[in-house]
Amino acid sequence: MSAHGAPTRVAVVGAGNISDEYLRSLTSYPDLAVTAVADLDPARARAQADAYGVPVSGTTAEVLRRDDVDLVVNLTVPAAHDEVALAAIEAGKHVWGEKPLTLDRDSARAVLDAASAAGVAVGNAPDTILGPGIQTAARLLADGAVGPARTVLTLMQGPGPDAWHPGPGFLFAKGAGPLFDIGPYYLTALVQLLGPVASVTAAGHRPRAERTVGSGPDAGTRFPVEVDTHLSVLTTFASGVVGTSVYSFDSPVRRQLFEVTGADGVLEVPVSGFDGPTRLLTDITPEAPWRTVPATGAPAGRGVGVLEMARAIRAGRPPRAGGELAYHVLDVMLAIEESADLGAPVRIDSTAPPVPPIPPHWDPTTRTSEGTEQK
């Protein structure tokens, strides 16, 4: 780890489109110093390093050998998540990964076991759960704003990314689709707010065997669809809360909804993004108005989980968006796929630790000392 009081030194592995969002945030946090960018294409790594003032670029192997890297941000494609994570852990680095943790339970457990043996930490996207939007909703729910939770309804529907993405094939391949691409945002927030999942029952649908690239130089090119593009899921939580969810790339109508119904009302969670408001309905009468509660806390963006993880390591505690939470979410997603294939409920063997709330005045832009927490 960096010398006492010095920023945590970060390397970004994977210089694709998502790296812009990460690098924009990571280079703005005073607790972090981005020291290197790596990619299979060294020219792309060099371009991103130059664009964000990062001093070093190179291949993954070259960057992992460096002594000025404490934490690796793994932004590679899902199929490479485990390989890169294990290599980083072997090199003695902490690892933050993009979603999902890996593509199967065995490789995910191998990553977590290797990290434990090496004494390094694992964190994983999505970090939207650390933004002031979902944190505000979590505080309201914990404070009893709608009474004890009873049910939850989430909807994620749209036509799919093939209409606008210039290279959408990977988003319809194993490890993607609406469940693995968008589902982690919803499932991670569900587990954070309502606790671990005990079982799932799902039905899947794949109405088109092929789709067509809708934009860019490959517009008009057809590609195969390898996963279900619509899933309907019934979820039972260990707490007894029951939920209904839809994950779909097959609807011409775009919908995003996350509603927790409690004994005394309904709470609408801003699951999309970091900073949205929470809505409350506690006057259960016809045409009663919703009350909007603005998010409390400093604005956040993609990469705030890396910062929170670095602060957690310095404070000697697990990161809030940690590896066991990511493993449980992966376990649930795989169980949803298995249930859809089997046509039967599937029990979830894993669990997840509670996610401690972030203090309302926690600030990504204010430097913290080693071993301290903002209150």
Side-chain angles (χ1 to χ4, degrees):
M1 199 70 178
S2 299
H4 181 81
T8 299
R9 300 165 299 183
V10 174
V12 172
V13 175
N17 291 338
I18 195 66
S19 67
D20 282 306
E21 292 188 52
Y22 271 94
L23 286 164
R24 192 177 302 118
S25 294
L26 299 180
T27 55
S28 73
Y29 297 144
D31 288 17
L32 304 179
V34 182
T35 55
V37 177
D39 195 87
L40 288 171
D41 180 352
R44 185 163 65 170
R46 181 70 265 160
Q48 286 297 80
D50 289 345
Y52 292 94
V54 179
V56 172
S57 67
T59 67
T60 300
E62 289 169 343
V63 165
L64 293 185
R65 286 196 295 266
R66 296 188 63 86
D67 293 332
D68 59 352
V69 174
D70 306 309
L71 190 158
V72 170
V73 177
N74 182 5
L75 306 183
T76 57
V77 296
H81 283 181
D82 60 329
E83 178 184 353
V84 172
L86 288 169
I89 291 165
E90 186 177 0
K93 319 298 186 186
H94 305 286
V95 181
W96 169 272
E98 249 304 318
K99 58 178 177 59
L101 179 59
T102 68
L103 295 185
D104 61 79
R105 296 180 182 91
D106 288 345
S107 63
R109 183 48 60 190
V111 168
L112 298 185
D113 288 348
S116 178
V120 298
V122 173
N124 213 79
D127 50 5
T128 45
I129 64 165
L130 306 178
I134 293 179
Q135 285 290 317
T136 298
R139 286 192 291 270
L140 287 165
L141 187 63
D143 290 343
V146 295
R150 291 176 172 173
T151 64
V152 61
L153 171 66
T154 71
L155 300 175
M156 190 294 298
Q157 296 176 298
D162 46 318
W164 58 267
H165 198 292
F170 77 101
L171 293 169
F172 293 84
K174 179 176 171 57
L179 178 61
F180 274 74
D181 185 38
I182 307 298
Y185 295 102
Y186 288 80
L187 285 163
T188 307
L190 283 168
V191 173
Q192 178 194 20
L193 295 173
L194 302 172
V197 175
S199 68
V200 294
T201 304
H205 190 43
R206 194 182 314 177
R208 287 182 276 172
E210 292 185 326
R211 294 212 178 196
T212 304
V213 180
S215 66
D218 295 325
T221 303
R222 300 185 67 80
F223 61 90
V225 176
E226 301 175 6
V227 293
D228 288 339
T229 49
H230 179 102
L231 289 126
S232 298
V233 186
L234 300 177
T235 305
T236 301
F237 294 83
S239 64
V241 173
V242 295
T244 302
S245 298
V246 170
Y247 306 98
S248 182
F249 283 166
D250 289 314
S251 172
V253 179
R254 298 181 184 274
R255 292 191 183 94
Q256 289 190 323
L257 182 67
F258 191 126
E259 287 184 353
V260 179
T261 297
D264 302 319
V266 181
L267 181 145
E268 185 179 278
V269 181
V271 70
S272 179
F274 288 84
D275 305 320
T278 300
R279 295 206 308 158
L280 289 171
L281 182 64
T282 53
D283 179 7
I284 311 300
T285 57
E287 300 183 3
W290 288 78
R291 178 165 63 94
T292 298
V293 181
T296 300
R302 196 180 298 269
V304 72
V306 180
L307 172 66
E308 196 280 334
M309 180 178 176
R311 291 180 176 179
I313 293 166
R314 289 180 176 278
R317 60 167 179 80
R320 286 177 169 91
E324 292 297 338
L325 173 61
Y327 182 91
H328 183 62
V329 169
L330 173 66
D331 193 17
V332 172
M333 292 191 295
L334 292 168
I336 289 170
E337 287 190 328
E338 292 159 2
S339 177
D341 289 341
L342 294 169
V346 173
R347 290 199 58 80
I348 310 299
D349 292 329
S350 65
T351 189
V355 180
I358 286 182
H361 301 296
W362 191 89
D363 189 350
T365 65
T366 300
R367 180 78 177 273
T368 61
S369 299
E370 186 167 359
T372 66
E373 292 270 17
Q374 288 174 315
K375 302 299 183 184

